[in-house]
Amino acid sequence: MSARDLGVLYPFLQEKRRDGQALDGALLESVAAKARESRQTNAQFFKEQASVLLAAARAIASSYEGGGRLFAMGNGGSSCDAAHIAVEFQHPITAGRPALPAVNLAAEIAMLSAVGNDVGFEQVFARQIEAHARRGDVLAGFSTSGNSPNILAGFGAAKRIGLVTVGFSGGEGGRMRSSGVVDHCLVAPTGSVHRIQECHVAAYHILWDLVHTLMADGRGSAGGRLQP
């Protein structure tokens, strides 16, 4: 029996095939639209935030040169960013670049659950900063909304001790941008959590490269040493 005969006898089969093709077309267009949005958001982010990124890199490089350490914090998907930035500094993939001390505060499950249970989840990062950090260290915090209470509390504790604070946020920056406890606030210009996190990943990869470049240059100049 031919396809035409099947279409006559069972028209619903052909209709489903057409619906499937239409769905595939719509999904492919969605892929293209999201990729386009990601590129545009990323380009706008770095156009607006390049000077903030460089200032943060200079502060982190200065901290490391003075014997400081980097601490990182985040919730949910942003805790993965905290883990990622810590690994980047501890385990440099480019030959000749030194391993630098970095701690992911979201990794201590026993500490997180103890503080969360006994005191409150808002204090899970602040308590660790109070216990481990010292003046001149760096705290990097990730919150796509900029309003996570435990991230803000962590930054507050860091500022009381004398840490350099670097925030990664999105949208309008939330309380992270307006609180006065974040020295360098990198804000992705979108309300999409996915696009925000994509900007954050690119930002701390570049931040890592800038820090190593600045540390390698005795004059503090980034000229000619950046990796492609």
Side-chain angles (χ1 to χ4, degrees):
M1 184 176 290
S2 68
R4 180 178 178 181
D5 292 335
L6 281 173
V8 172
L9 291 173
Y10 307 107
F12 59 88
L13 293 179
Q14 186 66 23
E15 189 62 36
K16 285 186 177 180
R17 191 174 299 116
R18 288 175 183 159
D19 288 347
Q21 290 172 347
L23 177 60
D24 284 353
L27 291 174
L28 289 171
E29 175 55 34
S30 177
V31 170
K34 285 178 169 57
R36 185 166 55 249
E37 180 189 18
S38 181
R39 292 191 299 271
Q40 292 170 347
T41 302
N42 198 274
Q44 183 182 349
F45 171 70
F46 284 106
K47 181 179 180 180
E48 296 174 351
Q49 303 289 302
S51 60
V52 181
L53 191 64
L54 180 55
R58 290 190 184 281
I60 295 171
S62 178
S63 174
Y64 275 131
E65 287 169 344
R69 299 160 294 170
L70 183 143
F71 296 90
M73 58 181 178
N75 298 297
S78 292
S79 74
C80 298
D81 287 313
H84 193 160
I85 193 173
V87 169
E88 292 290 345
F89 280 102
Q90 291 178 84
H91 177 57
I93 59 172
T94 303
R97 292 189 166 182
L100 298 169
V103 179
N104 171 24
L105 299 177
E108 293 292 340
I109 302 301
M111 183 65 177
L112 293 174
S113 58
V115 175
N117 181 67
D118 298 340
V119 182
F121 193 66
E122 183 175 320
Q123 297 299 316
V124 294
F125 300 126
R127 281 296 174 91
Q128 293 184 76
I129 288 296
E130 291 166 356
H132 299 295
R134 57 179 180 261
R135 178 176 294 275
D137 287 340
V138 177
L139 176 61
F142 297 84
S143 170
T144 56
S145 68
N147 294 318
S148 300
N150 57 357
I151 299 297
L152 294 167
F155 278 135
K159 289 307 294 178
R160 288 192 295 274
I161 294 170
L163 275 69
V164 173
T165 50
V166 181
F168 295 78
S169 186
E172 298 297 321
R175 291 172 57 203
M176 184 187 288
R177 182 180 237 175
S178 62
S179 64
V181 294
V182 178
D183 298 317
H184 310 281
C185 193
L186 293 151
V187 182
T190 175
S192 166
V193 171
H194 296 145
R195 304 294 85 82
I196 292 168
Q197 291 177 330
E198 288 160 5
C199 287
H200 289 175
V201 172
Y204 59 73
H205 281 163
I206 293 172
L207 185 67
W208 171 87
D209 190 66
L210 289 172
V211 168
H212 278 284
T213 298
L214 290 165
M215 292 180 68
D217 190 333
R219 294 166 298 148
S221 170
R225 293 176 180 258
L226 296 182
Q227 296 294 317

Coordinates of all heavy atoms in Angstrom, one line a residue, residues 10-105:
Y10 N -6.0 6.6 6.4 CA -5.7 7.0 7.8 C -5.2 8.5 7.8 O -4.0 8.7 8.0 CB -4.7 6.1 8.4 CG -5.0 4.6 8.4 CD1 -4.3 3.8 7.5 CD2 -6.0 4.1 9.2 CE1 -4.6 2.4 7.4 CE2 -6.3 2.7 9.2 CZ -5.6 1.9 8.3 OH -5.9 0.6 8.2
P11 N -6.1 9.4 7.5 CA -5.7 10.8 7.4 C -5.0 11.4 8.6 O -4.2 12.3 8.6 CB -7.0 11.5 7.0 CG -8.1 10.6 7.5 CD -7.5 9.2 7.3
F12 N -5.4 10.8 9.8 CA -4.9 11.3 11.1 C -3.4 11.1 11.2 O -2.7 11.8 11.9 CB -5.6 10.7 12.3 CG -5.5 9.2 12.3 CD1 -4.5 8.5 13.0 CD2 -6.5 8.4 11.7 CE1 -4.4 7.2 13.0 CE2 -6.5 7.0 11.8 CZ -5.4 6.4 12.4
L13 N -2.9 10.0 10.5 CA -1.4 9.8 10.5 C -0.7 10.9 9.8 O 0.4 11.3 10.3 CB -1.1 8.4 9.9 CG -1.6 7.2 10.6 CD1 -1.3 5.9 9.8 CD2 -1.0 7.1 12.0
Q14 N -1.2 11.3 8.7 CA -0.5 12.4 8.0 C -0.6 13.7 8.8 O 0.3 14.5 8.8 CB -1.2 12.6 6.6 CG -0.5 13.6 5.7 CD 0.9 13.2 5.3 OE1 1.2 12.0 5.3 NE2 1.7 14.1 5.0
E15 N -1.7 13.9 9.4 CA -1.9 15.1 10.2 C -0.9 15.2 11.4 O -0.3 16.2 11.7 CB -3.3 15.2 10.8 CG -3.7 16.5 11.4 CD -3.6 17.7 10.5 OE1 -3.9 17.5 9.3 OE2 -3.2 18.8 10.9
K16 N -0.7 14.0 12.0 CA 0.3 14.0 13.1 C 1.7 14.2 12.6 O 2.5 14.9 13.2 CB 0.3 12.6 13.8 CG -0.9 12.4 14.7 CD -0.8 11.1 15.4 CE -2.0 10.9 16.4 NZ -1.9 9.6 17.1
R17 N 2.0 13.7 11.4 CA 3.3 14.0 10.8 C 3.5 15.5 10.5 O 4.5 16.0 10.8 CB 3.4 13.2 9.5 CG 4.9 13.2 8.9 CD 5.0 12.3 7.7 NE 4.6 10.9 8.1 CZ 3.6 10.2 7.6 NH1 2.8 10.8 6.7 NH2 3.4 9.0 7.9
R18 N 2.5 16.1 10.0 CA 2.5 17.6 9.8 C 2.7 18.3 11.1 O 3.5 19.3 11.2 CB 1.3 18.0 9.0 CG 1.2 17.6 7.6 CD -0.1 18.0 6.9 NE -0.1 17.5 5.6 CZ -1.3 17.4 4.9 NH1 -2.4 17.6 5.5 NH2 -1.3 17.0 3.6
D19 N 1.9 17.9 12.1 CA 2.1 18.6 13.4 C 3.5 18.4 14.0 O 4.0 19.4 14.5 CB 1.0 18.0 14.4 CG -0.4 18.4 14.0 OD1 -0.6 19.3 13.2 OD2 -1.3 17.8 14.6
G20 N 4.1 17.2 13.8 CA 5.4 17.0 14.3 C 6.4 17.9 13.6 O 7.3 18.4 14.2
Q21 N 6.3 18.0 12.3 CA 7.2 18.9 11.5 C 7.0 20.3 11.9 O 8.0 21.1 12.0 CB 6.9 18.7 10.0 CG 7.3 17.4 9.5 CD 6.8 17.2 8.0 OE1 6.0 17.9 7.5 NE2 7.3 16.1 7.4
A22 N 5.8 20.8 12.2 CA 5.6 22.1 12.6 C 6.2 22.4 14.0 O 6.8 23.4 14.3 CB 4.1 22.4 12.7
L23 N 6.0 21.3 14.9 CA 6.6 21.5 16.2 C 8.1 21.5 16.1 O 8.8 22.4 16.8 CB 6.2 20.3 17.1 CG 6.8 20.2 18.5 CD1 6.4 21.4 19.3 CD2 6.4 18.9 19.2
D24 N 8.8 20.7 15.3 CA 10.2 20.7 15.1 C 10.7 22.1 14.6 O 11.7 22.6 15.1 CB 10.7 19.6 14.1 CG 10.6 18.3 14.8 OD1 10.4 18.2 16.0 OD2 10.9 17.3 14.0
G25 N 9.9 22.6 13.7 CA 10.3 24.0 13.2 C 10.2 25.0 14.2 O 11.1 25.9 14.3
A26 N 9.2 25.0 15.1 CA 9.0 25.9 16.1 C 10.1 25.8 17.2 O 10.7 26.8 17.7 CB 7.7 25.8 16.8
L27 N 10.5 24.5 17.5 CA 11.6 24.3 18.4 C 12.9 24.8 17.9 O 13.7 25.3 18.7 CB 11.6 22.8 18.8 CG 10.4 22.3 19.6 CD1 10.5 20.8 19.8 CD2 10.3 23.0 21.0
L28 N 13.2 24.5 16.6 CA 14.4 25.0 16.0 C 14.5 26.5 16.1 O 15.6 27.1 16.3 CB 14.6 24.5 14.6 CG 14.8 23.0 14.5 CD1 14.7 22.5 13.1 CD2 16.2 22.6 15.1
E29 N 13.4 27.2 15.8 CA 13.4 28.6 15.9 C 13.6 29.1 17.3 O 14.3 30.1 17.5 CB 12.0 29.2 15.3 CG 11.9 30.7 15.5 CD 13.0 31.5 14.8 OE1 13.5 31.0 13.8 OE2 13.4 32.5 15.4
S30 N 13.1 28.4 18.3 CA 13.3 28.7 19.7 C 14.8 28.6 20.0 O 15.3 29.4 20.7 CB 12.5 27.8 20.6 OG 12.7 28.0 21.9
V31 N 15.4 27.5 19.5 CA 16.9 27.4 19.7 C 17.6 28.6 19.2 O 18.5 29.2 19.9 CB 17.4 26.1 19.1 CG1 18.9 26.0 19.1 CG2 16.8 24.9 19.8
A32 N 17.3 29.0 17.9 CA 18.0 30.1 17.3 C 17.7 31.4 18.1 O 18.7 32.2 18.3 CB 17.5 30.3 15.9
A33 N 16.5 31.6 18.6 CA 16.2 32.8 19.3 C 16.9 32.9 20.6 O 17.4 34.0 21.0 CB 14.7 32.9 19.5
K34 N 17.0 31.7 21.3 CA 17.7 31.7 22.6 C 19.2 31.9 22.4 O 19.8 32.7 23.2 CB 17.4 30.4 23.3 CG 16.0 30.4 23.9 CD 15.7 29.0 24.6 CE 14.4 29.1 25.4 NZ 13.2 29.5 24.6
A35 N 19.7 31.3 21.4 CA 21.2 31.5 21.2 C 21.4 33.0 20.8 O 22.4 33.6 21.3 CB 21.6 30.6 20.0
R36 N 20.6 33.6 20.0 CA 20.7 35.0 19.7 C 20.6 35.9 20.9 O 21.4 36.8 21.1 CB 19.6 35.4 18.6 CG 19.7 36.8 18.0 CD 18.9 36.9 16.8 NE 17.5 36.6 17.1 CZ 16.9 35.5 16.5 NH1 17.6 34.6 15.8 NH2 15.6 35.2 16.8
E37 N 19.6 35.6 21.7 CA 19.4 36.4 23.0 C 20.7 36.3 23.9 O 21.1 37.2 24.5 CB 18.2 35.9 23.7 CG 17.9 36.6 25.0 CD 16.8 36.0 25.8 OE1 16.5 34.8 25.6 OE2 16.3 36.7 26.7
S38 N 21.2 35.1 23.9 CA 22.4 34.8 24.8 C 23.6 35.7 24.3 O 24.3 36.3 25.1 CB 22.8 33.3 24.8 OG 23.9 33.1 25.6
R39 N 23.8 35.7 23.0 CA 24.9 36.4 22.4 C 24.7 37.9 22.7 O 25.7 38.7 23.0 CB 25.0 36.2 20.9 CG 25.5 34.8 20.6 CD 25.9 34.7 19.1 NE 24.7 35.0 18.2 CZ 23.9 34.1 17.8 NH1 24.0 32.8 18.1 NH2 22.9 34.4 16.9
Q40 N 23.5 38.4 22.4 CA 23.2 39.8 22.6 C 23.4 40.3 24.1 O 23.9 41.3 24.4 CB 21.8 40.2 22.1 CG 21.7 40.0 20.6 CD 20.2 40.1 20.1 OE1 19.3 40.0 20.9 NE2 20.0 40.3 18.8
T41 N 22.9 39.4 25.0 CA 23.0 39.8 26.4 C 24.4 39.8 26.9 O 24.9 40.7 27.6 CB 22.2 38.8 27.3 OG1 20.8 38.7 26.9 CG2 22.3 39.1 28.7
N42 N 25.2 38.8 26.4 CA 26.6 38.7 26.7 C 27.3 39.9 26.2 O 28.2 40.5 27.0 CB 27.1 37.4 26.1 CG 28.5 37.0 26.7 OD1 29.5 37.4 26.3 ND2 28.4 36.1 27.7
A43 N 27.1 40.3 25.0 CA 27.8 41.5 24.4 C 27.4 42.7 25.2 O 28.3 43.6 25.5 CB 27.4 41.6 23.0
Q44 N 26.2 42.9 25.6 CA 25.8 44.1 26.3 C 26.4 44.1 27.7 O 26.9 45.1 28.2 CB 24.3 44.2 26.5 CG 23.8 45.4 27.2 CD 22.3 45.5 27.3 OE1 21.5 44.7 26.7 NE2 21.8 46.4 28.2
F45 N 26.4 42.9 28.3 CA 27.0 42.8 29.7 C 28.5 43.2 29.7 O 28.9 44.0 30.5 CB 26.9 41.3 30.1 CG 27.6 41.0 31.4 CD1 27.2 41.5 32.6 CD2 28.8 40.2 31.4 CE1 27.9 41.1 33.8 CE2 29.5 39.9 32.5 CZ 29.0 40.3 33.7
F46 N 29.3 42.7 28.7 CA 30.7 43.1 28.8 C 31.0 44.5 28.3 O 31.9 45.1 28.7 CB 31.5 42.1 27.9 CG 31.7 40.7 28.6 CD1 31.0 39.6 28.2 CD2 32.5 40.6 29.7 CE1 31.1 38.4 28.9 CE2 32.7 39.4 30.4 CZ 31.9 38.3 30.0
K47 N 30.1 45.0 27.5 CA 30.2 46.4 27.1 C 30.0 47.3 28.3 O 30.7 48.3 28.5 CB 29.2 46.8 26.0 CG 29.3 48.2 25.5 CD 28.3 48.5 24.4 CE 28.3 50.0 24.0 NZ 27.3 50.2 22.9
E48 N 29.0 47.0 29.1 CA 28.7 47.8 30.3 C 29.6 47.6 31.5 O 29.8 48.4 32.3 CB 27.2 47.6 30.7 CG 26.2 48.0 29.6 CD 24.8 47.6 30.0 OE1 24.6 46.9 31.0 OE2 23.9 48.1 29.3
Q49 N 30.1 46.3 31.6 CA 30.7 45.9 32.9 C 32.2 45.7 32.8 O 32.9 45.3 33.7 CB 30.1 44.6 33.4 CG 28.6 44.7 33.6 CD 28.2 45.5 34.8 OE1 28.7 45.2 35.9 NE2 27.4 46.5 34.6
A50 N 32.8 46.0 31.6 CA 34.2 45.7 31.4 C 35.1 46.4 32.5 O 36.0 45.8 33.0 CB 34.7 46.2 30.0
S51 N 34.8 47.7 32.8 CA 35.6 48.4 33.8 C 35.5 47.9 35.2 O 36.4 47.8 36.0 CB 35.3 49.9 33.8 OG 33.9 50.1 34.1
V52 N 34.3 47.4 35.5 CA 34.0 46.8 36.8 C 34.8 45.5 36.9 O 35.4 45.1 37.9 CB 32.5 46.5 37.0 CG1 32.3 45.9 38.4 CG2 31.7 47.8 36.9
L53 N 34.8 44.7 35.8 CA 35.5 43.4 35.8 C 37.0 43.6 36.0 O 37.6 42.9 36.7 CB 35.2 42.7 34.4 CG 35.7 41.3 34.3 CD1 34.9 40.4 35.3 CD2 35.5 40.8 32.9
L54 N 37.6 44.6 35.3 CA 39.0 44.9 35.4 C 39.3 45.4 36.9 O 40.3 45.0 37.4 CB 39.4 46.0 34.4 CG 40.9 46.3 34.5 CD1 41.8 45.1 34.3 CD2 41.2 47.4 33.4
A55 N 38.5 46.2 37.4 CA 38.7 46.7 38.8 C 38.7 45.5 39.8 O 39.5 45.4 40.7 CB 37.6 47.7 39.2
A56 N 37.7 44.6 39.6 CA 37.6 43.4 40.4 C 38.9 42.6 40.3 O 39.4 42.0 41.3 CB 36.4 42.6 40.1
A57 N 39.4 42.4 39.1 CA 40.6 41.6 38.8 C 41.8 42.2 39.5 O 42.6 41.5 40.1 CB 40.8 41.5 37.3
R58 N 41.9 43.6 39.4 CA 43.0 44.2 40.1 C 42.9 44.0 41.6 O 44.0 43.8 42.3 CB 43.0 45.7 39.8 CG 43.4 46.1 38.4 CD 43.6 47.6 38.2 NE 43.8 47.9 36.8 CZ 45.0 47.8 36.2 NH1 46.0 47.3 36.9 NH2 45.2 48.1 34.9
A59 N 41.7 44.1 42.2 CA 41.6 43.9 43.6 C 41.9 42.4 44.1 O 42.6 42.2 45.1 CB 40.2 44.2 44.0
I60 N 41.5 41.5 43.2 CA 41.8 40.1 43.6 C 43.3 39.8 43.4 O 43.9 39.1 44.3 CB 41.0 39.1 42.7 CG1 39.5 39.3 43.0 CG2 41.4 37.7 42.9 CD1 38.6 38.6 42.0
A61 N 43.9 40.3 42.3 CA 45.4 40.1 42.1 C 46.1 40.7 43.3 O 47.1 40.1 43.8 CB 45.8 40.8 40.8
S62 N 45.7 41.9 43.8 CA 46.4 42.5 44.9 C 46.2 41.7 46.2 O 47.2 41.6 47.0 CB 45.8 43.9 45.1 OG 46.4 44.6 46.2
S63 N 45.1 41.1 46.4 CA 44.8 40.3 47.5 C 45.8 39.1 47.5 O 46.4 38.7 48.5 CB 43.4 39.8 47.6 OG 43.2 38.9 48.6
Y64 N 45.8 38.4 46.4 CA 46.7 37.2 46.2 C 48.2 37.6 46.4 O 48.9 36.9 47.1 CB 46.5 36.5 44.9 CG 45.3 35.6 44.8 CD1 44.4 35.6 43.8 CD2 45.2 34.6 45.8 CE1 43.3 34.7 43.8 CE2 44.1 33.7 45.8 CZ 43.2 33.8 44.7 OH 42.2 32.9 44.7
E65 N 48.6 38.7 45.9 CA 50.0 39.1 46.0 C 50.3 39.4 47.5 O 51.5 39.3 47.9 CB 50.2 40.4 45.2 CG 50.3 40.0 43.7 CD 50.3 41.3 42.8 OE1 49.9 42.3 43.3 OE2 50.6 41.1 41.6
G66 N 49.3 39.8 48.3 CA 49.5 40.0 49.7 C 49.2 38.8 50.6 O 49.2 38.9 51.8
G67 N 49.1 37.6 50.0 CA 48.9 36.4 50.7 C 47.5 36.1 51.0 O 47.2 35.3 51.9
G68 N 46.5 36.8 50.4 CA 45.1 36.6 50.6 C 44.6 35.3 49.9 O 45.2 34.7 49.2
R69 N 43.3 35.1 50.2 CA 42.6 33.9 49.6 C 41.2 34.4 49.1 O 40.7 35.4 49.5 CB 42.3 32.9 50.7 CG 43.6 32.3 51.3 CD 43.2 31.6 52.7 NE 42.8 32.6 53.7 CZ 42.3 32.3 54.8 NH1 42.1 31.1 55.2 NH2 41.9 33.3 55.7
L70 N 40.7 33.6 48.2 CA 39.4 33.9 47.7 C 38.4 32.9 48.2 O 38.6 31.7 48.2 CB 39.4 33.8 46.1 CG 38.1 34.1 45.4 CD1 38.3 34.9 44.1 CD2 37.2 32.9 45.1
F71 N 37.2 33.4 48.7 CA 36.1 32.6 49.1 C 35.0 32.8 48.2 O 34.8 33.9 47.6 CB 35.7 32.9 50.6 CG 36.7 32.6 51.6 CD1 37.7 33.6 51.9 CD2 36.8 31.4 52.2 CE1 38.6 33.4 52.9 CE2 37.8 31.1 53.2 CZ 38.7 32.1 53.5
A72 N 34.1 31.8 47.9 CA 33.0 31.9 47.0 C 31.8 31.3 47.6 O 31.8 30.3 48.3 CB 33.4 31.2 45.7
M73 N 30.6 31.9 47.3 CA 29.3 31.4 47.8 C 28.2 31.6 46.8 O 28.3 32.5 45.9 CB 29.0 32.2 49.1 CG 28.9 33.7 48.9 SD 28.5 34.5 50.5 CE 28.5 36.3 49.9
G74 N 27.2 30.7 46.9 CA 26.1 30.8 46.0 C 25.1 29.7 46.4 O 25.4 28.7 47.1
N75 N 23.8 29.9 46.0 CA 22.8 28.9 46.2 C 22.3 28.2 44.9 O 22.3 28.8 43.9 CB 21.5 29.6 46.8 CG 21.8 30.3 48.1 OD1 22.2 29.6 49.1 ND2 21.7 31.6 48.2
G76 N 21.9 26.9 45.0 CA 21.4 26.2 43.9 C 22.4 26.2 42.7 O 23.6 25.9 42.9
G77 N 21.9 26.7 41.5 CA 22.8 26.7 40.4 C 24.0 27.6 40.6 O 25.1 27.4 40.1
S78 N 23.8 28.7 41.4 CA 24.8 29.6 41.7 C 25.9 29.0 42.6 O 27.0 29.5 42.6 CB 24.3 30.9 42.3 OG 23.5 31.6 41.3
S79 N 25.5 28.0 43.4 CA 26.5 27.3 44.2 C 27.5 26.5 43.3 O 28.7 26.4 43.6 CB 25.9 26.3 45.2 OG 25.4 25.2 44.5
C80 N 27.0 26.1 42.1 CA 27.9 25.5 41.1 C 28.9 26.5 40.5 O 30.0 26.2 40.3 CB 27.0 24.9 40.0 SG 25.9 23.6 40.5
D81 N 28.4 27.8 40.4 CA 29.3 28.8 40.0 C 30.4 29.1 41.0 O 31.6 29.3 40.7 CB 28.6 30.1 39.6 CG 27.8 30.0 38.3 OD1 28.4 29.5 37.3 OD2 26.6 30.4 38.3
A82 N 30.0 29.0 42.3 CA 30.9 29.2 43.4 C 32.0 28.1 43.4 O 33.2 28.3 43.6 CB 30.2 29.2 44.7
A83 N 31.5 26.9 43.1 CA 32.5 25.7 43.0 C 33.4 25.9 41.8 O 34.6 25.7 41.9 CB 31.7 24.4 42.9
H84 N 32.8 26.4 40.7 CA 33.6 26.5 39.5 C 34.7 27.5 39.6 O 35.8 27.3 39.2 CB 32.6 26.9 38.3 CG 33.2 26.7 37.0 ND1 32.4 26.6 35.8 CD2 34.4 26.7 36.5 CE1 33.1 26.6 34.8 NE2 34.4 26.6 35.1
I85 N 34.3 28.7 40.1 CA 35.4 29.8 40.2 C 36.5 29.3 41.2 O 37.7 29.6 41.0 CB 34.8 31.1 40.6 CG1 35.8 32.3 40.4 CG2 34.2 31.1 42.1 CD1 35.2 33.6 40.7
A86 N 36.1 28.6 42.2 CA 37.1 28.1 43.2 C 38.1 27.1 42.5 O 39.3 27.2 42.7 CB 36.4 27.5 44.4
V87 N 37.5 26.2 41.7 CA 38.4 25.3 41.0 C 39.3 26.0 40.0 O 40.4 25.6 39.8 CB 37.5 24.2 40.3 CG1 38.3 23.4 39.3 CG2 36.8 23.3 41.3
E88 N 38.8 27.0 39.3 CA 39.6 27.7 38.3 C 40.8 28.3 39.0 O 41.9 28.2 38.4 CB 38.8 28.9 37.7 CG 37.6 28.4 36.8 CD 38.0 27.8 35.5 OE1 39.2 27.9 35.1 OE2 37.2 27.2 34.8
F89 N 40.7 28.8 40.1 CA 41.9 29.4 40.8 C 42.8 28.4 41.4 O 44.0 28.5 41.4 CB 41.5 30.5 41.8 CG 41.1 31.8 41.2 CD1 39.8 32.2 41.0 CD2 42.1 32.7 40.7 CE1 39.4 33.4 40.4 CE2 41.8 33.9 40.2 CZ 40.4 34.2 40.0
Q90 N 42.2 27.3 42.0 CA 43.0 26.3 42.6 C 43.7 25.4 41.6 O 44.8 24.9 41.8 CB 42.1 25.4 43.4 CG 41.6 26.0 44.7 CD 40.7 25.1 45.4 OE1 41.2 24.3 46.2 NE2 39.4 25.1 45.2
H91 N 43.1 25.2 40.4 CA 43.7 24.3 39.4 C 43.7 24.9 38.1 O 42.9 24.7 37.2 CB 42.8 23.0 39.4 CG 43.2 22.0 38.4 ND1 44.4 21.5 38.3 CD2 42.5 21.5 37.3 CE1 44.5 20.6 37.3 NE2 43.4 20.6 36.7
P92 N 44.7 25.8 37.8 CA 44.8 26.6 36.6 C 45.1 25.6 35.4 O 46.0 24.8 35.5 CB 45.9 27.6 36.8 CG 46.7 27.0 37.9 CD 45.8 26.2 38.8
I93 N 44.4 25.8 34.3 CA 44.6 24.8 33.2 C 45.6 25.3 32.2 O 46.1 24.6 31.4 CB 43.2 24.6 32.4 CG1 42.7 26.0 31.9 CG2 42.2 23.9 33.3 CD1 41.5 25.8 31.0
T94 N 46.1 26.6 32.4 CA 47.1 27.1 31.5 C 48.5 26.9 32.1 O 48.7 27.2 33.3 CB 46.9 28.6 31.3 OG1 45.6 28.8 30.8 CG2 47.9 29.2 30.4
A95 N 49.4 26.3 31.4 CA 50.7 26.0 31.9 C 51.4 27.2 32.3 O 51.4 28.3 31.7 CB 51.5 25.3 30.7
G96 N 52.1 27.1 33.5 CA 52.9 28.2 34.0 C 52.2 29.1 34.9 O 52.8 30.0 35.5
R97 N 50.9 28.9 35.1 CA 50.1 29.7 36.0 C 50.0 29.0 37.4 O 49.7 27.9 37.4 CB 48.8 30.1 35.4 CG 48.9 31.0 34.2 CD 47.6 31.6 33.7 NE 47.9 32.7 32.8 CZ 46.9 33.4 32.3 NH1 45.6 33.1 32.5 NH2 47.2 34.4 31.5
P98 N 50.3 29.7 38.5 CA 50.3 29.1 39.8 C 48.9 28.7 40.3 O 47.9 29.4 40.0 CB 50.9 30.1 40.7 CG 50.6 31.4 40.0 CD 50.6 31.2 38.6
A99 N 48.8 27.7 41.1 CA 47.6 27.4 41.8 C 47.4 28.4 43.0 O 48.4 28.8 43.6 CB 47.6 26.0 42.4
L100 N 46.2 29.0 43.1 CA 45.9 30.0 44.1 C 44.8 29.5 45.0 O 43.9 28.8 44.6 CB 45.5 31.3 43.4 CG 46.6 31.9 42.5 CD1 46.0 33.0 41.6 CD2 47.8 32.4 43.3
P101 N 44.9 29.9 46.3 CA 43.9 29.4 47.3 C 42.6 30.0 47.1 O 42.4 31.2 47.0 CB 44.5 29.9 48.6 CG 45.4 31.0 48.3 CD 46.0 30.7 46.9
A102 N 41.6 29.1 47.0 CA 40.2 29.5 46.8 C 39.3 28.5 47.5 O 39.5 27.3 47.3 CB 39.8 29.6 45.3
V103 N 38.3 28.9 48.2 CA 37.4 28.0 49.0 C 35.9 28.2 48.6 O 35.4 29.3 48.6 CB 37.6 28.3 50.5 CG1 36.7 27.4 51.3 CG2 39.0 28.2 50.9
N104 N 35.3 27.1 48.2 CA 33.8 27.1 47.9 C 33.1 26.9 49.2 O 33.0 25.8 49.8 CB 33.5 26.0 46.9 CG 32.0 25.8 46.7 OD1 31.2 26.7 47.0 ND2 31.6 24.6 46.3
L105 N 32.5 28.0 49.7 CA 31.7 27.9 51.0 C 30.5 27.0 50.9 O 29.9 26.6 51.9 CB 31.4 29.3 51.5 CG 32.6 30.2 51.8 CD1 32.1 31.6 52.2 CD2 33.5 29.6 52.9

